[in-house]
Amino acid sequence: MKLDKQELVKMLRAEGDNDRADRVEGGQLPDEIDTDRDADALTAAGLDGSTLQAKLAGGAIGGNLQI
């Protein structure tokens, strides 16, 4: 699945997760994140697959999700 890096950063900041947002923003992730291709970079930012799925299921990223 694909999602916009800046939308992910906004969502993390809205949740008060500024440390993780900083890691996503300053890390090695491209502007358009592919969760399969960029799994290692997401893990390095503290977002494993289950954490990210839980956030997406909560509707935090909403309409920017492309499957």
Side-chain angles (χ1 to χ4, degrees):
M1 99 180 63
K2 296 180 183 182
L3 56 124
D4 183 76
K5 177 180 175 176
Q6 290 306 313
E7 290 299 316
L8 178 57
V9 169
K10 285 181 197 175
M11 184 265 307
L12 291 168
R13 293 203 189 286
E15 292 181 345
D17 197 349
N18 292 316
D19 290 338
R20 199 173 282 167
D22 289 343
R23 288 193 299 262
V24 168
E25 199 166 40
Q28 300 298 316
L29 289 161
D31 290 336
E32 183 176 86
I33 299 168
D34 180 311
T35 56
D36 293 326
R37 177 194 67 208
D38 301 316
D40 291 340
L42 284 166
T43 299
L47 288 166
D48 62 23
S50 61
T51 302
L52 188 56
Q53 286 289 19
K55 290 182 180 302
L56 294 173
I61 297 179
N64 296 311
L65 179 64
Q66 298 175 13
I67 299 176

